[in-house]
Amino acid sequence: MPEPYQSPSPSPLPSSWQSPYIRTALPDDEEELALLDRVTWSLLHAVTPQPQPPYRPFFDEHHAPDDHLVAELDRRIVGYVRLAFPTPLAANAHVRQIQGIAVADEARGRGVGRALVRAAVDEARRRGARRITLRVLGHNTPARKLYESEGFVVEGVLPEEFFLGGEYVDDVIMGRRL
């Protein structure tokens, strides 16, 4: 079993709240992560259509368990972050990219998203990355504020890159040095 991942960053949670336990995903987590991914789907952050049966596997040839950190509260998975290479190019191998993050509704406001972002930053650094990037929809204000508070800056905007729910939405590229 992999060692649990513990971020050295201080927790923003009040002392009366339990901090999420962050660890590397295991193959056995697939069903729970797939369900979490489906129930947290929203046009606030998703550019793909709402998942419908038959569902695609959560883990695949491009997204292995080791590419995911999961957050647990009370021994239950309440969030995940996917950390991957942004491209397959050797010239880009020093960069990692957050390619998905989800937090269960009942765990929102408990520091789970922040803990996952911090863990992703720490894990990218541990794996030798010099930079970490992500893409976030322009109208996802809560996520953008979280990323900014964790040191990410806007590095580019693709105006009206997506048409979602009857509206054009910007794609915001954010990053930070490690």
Side-chain angles (χ1 to χ4, degrees), residues 114-146:
R114 183 173 304 280
L116 285 167
V117 170
R118 288 179 178 176
V121 167
D122 292 341
E123 182 64 10
R125 186 181 293 119
R126 187 187 74 74
R127 292 182 184 190
R130 294 177 45 119
R131 286 181 28 80
I132 186 169
T133 63
L134 58 87
R135 295 170 70 170
V136 60
L137 294 175
H139 65 211
N140 192 344
T141 304
R144 290 180 64 182
K145 285 183 178 181
L146 169 62

Short mmCIF file of all heavy atoms in Angstrom, two decimals, residues 114-146:
data_model
loop_
_atom_site.label_atom_id
_atom_site.label_comp_id
_atom_site.label_asym_id
_atom_site.label_seq_id
_atom_site.Cartn_x
_atom_site.Cartn_y
_atom_site.Cartn_z
N ARG A 114 -8.61 23.03 -1.08
CA ARG A 114 -7.32 23.66 -0.79
C ARG A 114 -6.26 22.60 -0.47
O ARG A 114 -5.13 22.66 -0.96
CB ARG A 114 -7.46 24.64 0.38
CG ARG A 114 -6.18 25.40 0.70
CD ARG A 114 -6.40 26.47 1.75
NE ARG A 114 -7.44 27.40 1.37
CZ ARG A 114 -7.29 28.41 0.53
NH1 ARG A 114 -6.12 28.62 -0.06
NH2 ARG A 114 -8.30 29.22 0.26
N ALA A 115 -6.62 21.61 0.32
CA ALA A 115 -5.67 20.54 0.66
C ALA A 115 -5.24 19.79 -0.59
O ALA A 115 -4.07 19.43 -0.74
CB ALA A 115 -6.30 19.59 1.68
N LEU A 116 -6.18 19.55 -1.51
CA LEU A 116 -5.85 18.85 -2.76
C LEU A 116 -4.93 19.69 -3.64
O LEU A 116 -3.98 19.16 -4.24
CB LEU A 116 -7.12 18.46 -3.51
CG LEU A 116 -7.88 17.28 -2.92
CD1 LEU A 116 -9.28 17.19 -3.53
CD2 LEU A 116 -7.11 15.98 -3.12
N VAL A 117 -5.19 20.98 -3.75
CA VAL A 117 -4.32 21.85 -4.55
C VAL A 117 -2.92 21.88 -3.96
O VAL A 117 -1.92 21.74 -4.67
CB VAL A 117 -4.92 23.26 -4.68
CG1 VAL A 117 -3.91 24.23 -5.29
CG2 VAL A 117 -6.19 23.24 -5.50
N ARG A 118 -2.83 22.04 -2.64
CA ARG A 118 -1.51 22.05 -1.99
C ARG A 118 -0.79 20.73 -2.18
O ARG A 118 0.41 20.69 -2.43
CB ARG A 118 -1.66 22.36 -0.50
CG ARG A 118 -2.02 23.80 -0.25
CD ARG A 118 -2.18 24.08 1.21
NE ARG A 118 -2.49 25.50 1.41
CZ ARG A 118 -2.76 26.05 2.58
NH1 ARG A 118 -2.76 25.31 3.68
NH2 ARG A 118 -3.03 27.33 2.67
N ALA A 119 -1.52 19.63 -2.06
CA ALA A 119 -0.91 18.31 -2.24
C ALA A 119 -0.42 18.14 -3.68
O ALA A 119 0.65 17.57 -3.91
CB ALA A 119 -1.92 17.22 -1.88
N ALA A 120 -1.19 18.63 -4.65
CA ALA A 120 -0.78 18.55 -6.06
C ALA A 120 0.50 19.36 -6.29
O ALA A 120 1.41 18.90 -7.00
CB ALA A 120 -1.90 19.03 -6.98
N VAL A 121 0.57 20.53 -5.71
CA VAL A 121 1.78 21.37 -5.84
C VAL A 121 2.98 20.64 -5.23
O VAL A 121 4.05 20.54 -5.84
CB VAL A 121 1.56 22.75 -5.17
CG1 VAL A 121 2.87 23.49 -5.01
CG2 VAL A 121 0.56 23.57 -5.98
N ASP A 122 2.79 20.10 -4.03
CA ASP A 122 3.88 19.40 -3.36
C ASP A 122 4.30 18.14 -4.13
O ASP A 122 5.48 17.84 -4.25
CB ASP A 122 3.48 19.02 -1.93
CG ASP A 122 3.32 20.23 -1.02
OD1 ASP A 122 3.86 21.31 -1.36
OD2 ASP A 122 2.65 20.09 0.02
N GLU A 123 3.32 17.41 -4.66
CA GLU A 123 3.62 16.18 -5.41
C GLU A 123 4.32 16.51 -6.72
O GLU A 123 5.26 15.82 -7.12
CB GLU A 123 2.34 15.39 -5.67
CG GLU A 123 2.55 14.09 -6.38
CD GLU A 123 3.36 13.06 -5.62
OE1 GLU A 123 3.63 13.24 -4.42
OE2 GLU A 123 3.74 12.04 -6.25
N ALA A 124 3.90 17.57 -7.40
CA ALA A 124 4.57 17.99 -8.64
C ALA A 124 6.03 18.33 -8.33
O ALA A 124 6.94 17.93 -9.07
CB ALA A 124 3.84 19.17 -9.26
N ARG A 125 6.25 19.04 -7.25
CA ARG A 125 7.61 19.40 -6.85
C ARG A 125 8.41 18.12 -6.53
O ARG A 125 9.55 17.97 -6.96
CB ARG A 125 7.56 20.33 -5.63
CG ARG A 125 8.91 20.88 -5.22
CD ARG A 125 8.82 21.79 -4.00
NE ARG A 125 8.09 23.01 -4.32
CZ ARG A 125 6.95 23.38 -3.71
NH1 ARG A 125 6.41 22.64 -2.77
NH2 ARG A 125 6.36 24.51 -4.04
N ARG A 126 7.80 17.20 -5.79
CA ARG A 126 8.46 15.95 -5.42
C ARG A 126 8.86 15.15 -6.67
O ARG A 126 9.90 14.50 -6.69
CB ARG A 126 7.55 15.12 -4.52
CG ARG A 126 8.22 13.87 -3.94
CD ARG A 126 7.24 12.99 -3.20
NE ARG A 126 6.36 12.25 -4.08
CZ ARG A 126 6.72 11.20 -4.81
NH1 ARG A 126 7.95 10.76 -4.81
NH2 ARG A 126 5.82 10.58 -5.58
N ARG A 127 8.05 15.23 -7.71
CA ARG A 127 8.32 14.50 -8.96
C ARG A 127 9.28 15.25 -9.88
O ARG A 127 9.50 14.85 -11.01
CB ARG A 127 7.02 14.22 -9.70
CG ARG A 127 6.13 13.22 -8.97
CD ARG A 127 4.88 12.92 -9.73
NE ARG A 127 3.99 12.05 -8.97
CZ ARG A 127 2.92 11.47 -9.47
NH1 ARG A 127 2.57 11.67 -10.73
NH2 ARG A 127 2.17 10.69 -8.72
N GLY A 128 9.83 16.37 -9.40
CA GLY A 128 10.85 17.08 -10.16
C GLY A 128 10.35 18.17 -11.08
O GLY A 128 11.13 18.72 -11.86
N ALA A 129 9.09 18.53 -10.99
CA ALA A 129 8.56 19.59 -11.86
C ALA A 129 9.09 20.95 -11.41
O ALA A 129 9.36 21.17 -10.22
CB ALA A 129 7.04 19.58 -11.84
N ARG A 130 9.20 21.85 -12.36
CA ARG A 130 9.59 23.25 -12.07
C ARG A 130 8.39 24.18 -12.09
O ARG A 130 8.45 25.29 -11.56
CB ARG A 130 10.60 23.73 -13.10
CG ARG A 130 11.92 23.01 -13.04
CD ARG A 130 12.84 23.49 -14.14
NE ARG A 130 12.82 24.94 -14.24
CZ ARG A 130 13.87 25.73 -14.07
NH1 ARG A 130 15.04 25.21 -13.80
NH2 ARG A 130 13.77 27.03 -14.21
N ARG A 131 7.32 23.73 -12.79
CA ARG A 131 6.11 24.53 -12.91
C ARG A 131 4.90 23.62 -12.78
O ARG A 131 4.96 22.44 -13.08
CB ARG A 131 6.02 25.21 -14.29
CG ARG A 131 6.95 26.36 -14.50
CD ARG A 131 6.83 27.03 -15.87
NE ARG A 131 5.55 26.98 -16.55
CZ ARG A 131 4.49 27.78 -16.30
NH1 ARG A 131 4.56 28.68 -15.35
NH2 ARG A 131 3.39 27.67 -16.99
N ILE A 132 3.78 24.24 -12.41
CA ILE A 132 2.50 23.54 -12.41
C ILE A 132 1.48 24.48 -13.03
O ILE A 132 1.51 25.69 -12.77
CB ILE A 132 2.09 23.07 -10.99
CG1 ILE A 132 0.81 22.22 -11.05
CG2 ILE A 132 1.97 24.23 -10.03
CD1 ILE A 132 0.49 21.50 -9.76
N THR A 133 0.63 23.94 -13.88
CA THR A 133 -0.37 24.75 -14.58
C THR A 133 -1.74 24.11 -14.43
O THR A 133 -1.88 22.99 -13.94
CB THR A 133 -0.03 24.87 -16.08
OG1 THR A 133 -0.07 23.57 -16.68
CG2 THR A 133 1.34 25.50 -16.30
N LEU A 134 -2.74 24.85 -14.86
CA LEU A 134 -4.11 24.35 -14.89
C LEU A 134 -4.92 25.23 -15.82
O LEU A 134 -4.49 26.31 -16.21
CB LEU A 134 -4.73 24.32 -13.48
CG LEU A 134 -4.80 25.65 -12.71
CD1 LEU A 134 -6.06 26.43 -13.03
CD2 LEU A 134 -4.74 25.38 -11.24
N ARG A 135 -6.10 24.72 -16.16
CA ARG A 135 -7.06 25.50 -16.94
C ARG A 135 -8.35 25.53 -16.14
O ARG A 135 -8.74 24.53 -15.56
CB ARG A 135 -7.28 24.86 -18.30
CG ARG A 135 -6.02 24.89 -19.17
CD ARG A 135 -6.13 24.06 -20.40
NE ARG A 135 -7.07 24.66 -21.34
CZ ARG A 135 -7.23 24.25 -22.58
NH1 ARG A 135 -6.53 23.23 -23.03
NH2 ARG A 135 -8.09 24.83 -23.38
N VAL A 136 -8.98 26.69 -16.10
CA VAL A 136 -10.21 26.87 -15.34
C VAL A 136 -11.15 27.74 -16.16
O VAL A 136 -10.71 28.66 -16.85
CB VAL A 136 -9.92 27.47 -13.94
CG1 VAL A 136 -9.24 28.82 -14.03
CG2 VAL A 136 -11.16 27.53 -13.08
N LEU A 137 -12.42 27.44 -16.10
CA LEU A 137 -13.39 28.26 -16.83
C LEU A 137 -13.50 29.63 -16.18
O LEU A 137 -13.52 29.76 -14.95
CB LEU A 137 -14.75 27.56 -16.87
CG LEU A 137 -14.76 26.26 -17.68
CD1 LEU A 137 -16.12 25.57 -17.57
CD2 LEU A 137 -14.41 26.51 -19.14
N GLY A 138 -13.61 30.64 -17.03
CA GLY A 138 -13.64 32.02 -16.56
C GLY A 138 -14.75 32.31 -15.57
O GLY A 138 -14.59 33.14 -14.67
N HIS A 139 -15.88 31.62 -15.68
CA HIS A 139 -17.00 31.91 -14.78
C HIS A 139 -16.93 31.13 -13.47
O HIS A 139 -17.79 31.30 -12.62
CB HIS A 139 -18.34 31.66 -15.49
CG HIS A 139 -18.58 30.23 -15.87
ND1 HIS A 139 -19.33 29.90 -16.97
CD2 HIS A 139 -18.21 29.06 -15.33
CE1 HIS A 139 -19.40 28.57 -17.06
NE2 HIS A 139 -18.73 28.06 -16.07
N ASN A 140 -15.89 30.32 -13.29
CA ASN A 140 -15.75 29.53 -12.05
C ASN A 140 -14.98 30.35 -11.02
O ASN A 140 -13.83 30.07 -10.68
CB ASN A 140 -15.05 28.20 -12.35
CG ASN A 140 -15.15 27.24 -11.19
OD1 ASN A 140 -15.45 27.62 -10.07
ND2 ASN A 140 -14.86 25.98 -11.47
N THR A 141 -15.64 31.36 -10.50
CA THR A 141 -15.02 32.29 -9.55
C THR A 141 -14.49 31.61 -8.30
O THR A 141 -13.37 31.92 -7.88
CB THR A 141 -16.00 33.42 -9.21
OG1 THR A 141 -16.40 34.06 -10.43
CG2 THR A 141 -15.38 34.45 -8.28
N PRO A 142 -15.23 30.70 -7.68
CA PRO A 142 -14.67 30.06 -6.47
C PRO A 142 -13.35 29.33 -6.73
O PRO A 142 -12.40 29.46 -5.95
CB PRO A 142 -15.76 29.08 -6.04
CG PRO A 142 -17.03 29.61 -6.63
CD PRO A 142 -16.60 30.26 -7.92
N ALA A 143 -13.26 28.60 -7.82
CA ALA A 143 -12.02 27.89 -8.13
C ALA A 143 -10.89 28.87 -8.43
O ALA A 143 -9.77 28.70 -7.96
CB ALA A 143 -12.24 26.94 -9.31
N ARG A 144 -11.18 29.90 -9.20
CA ARG A 144 -10.14 30.88 -9.53
C ARG A 144 -9.60 31.55 -8.27
O ARG A 144 -8.38 31.75 -8.14
CB ARG A 144 -10.68 31.92 -10.51
CG ARG A 144 -10.93 31.31 -11.89
CD ARG A 144 -11.46 32.30 -12.87
NE ARG A 144 -10.47 33.36 -13.11
CZ ARG A 144 -10.68 34.39 -13.89
NH1 ARG A 144 -11.83 34.52 -14.53
NH2 ARG A 144 -9.75 35.30 -14.07
N LYS A 145 -10.48 31.89 -7.33
CA LYS A 145 -10.03 32.50 -6.08
C LYS A 145 -9.16 31.54 -5.28
O LYS A 145 -8.15 31.94 -4.69
CB LYS A 145 -11.23 32.96 -5.25
CG LYS A 145 -11.88 34.21 -5.78
CD LYS A 145 -13.02 34.65 -4.88
CE LYS A 145 -13.63 35.94 -5.42
NZ LYS A 145 -14.73 36.41 -4.57
N LEU A 146 -9.55 30.28 -5.25
CA LEU A 146 -8.74 29.28 -4.55
C LEU A 146 -7.35 29.19 -5.17
O LEU A 146 -6.33 29.25 -4.48
CB LEU A 146 -9.42 27.91 -4.58
CG LEU A 146 -8.58 26.73 -4.11
CD1 LEU A 146 -8.16 26.88 -2.65
CD2 LEU A 146 -9.33 25.43 -4.33
#
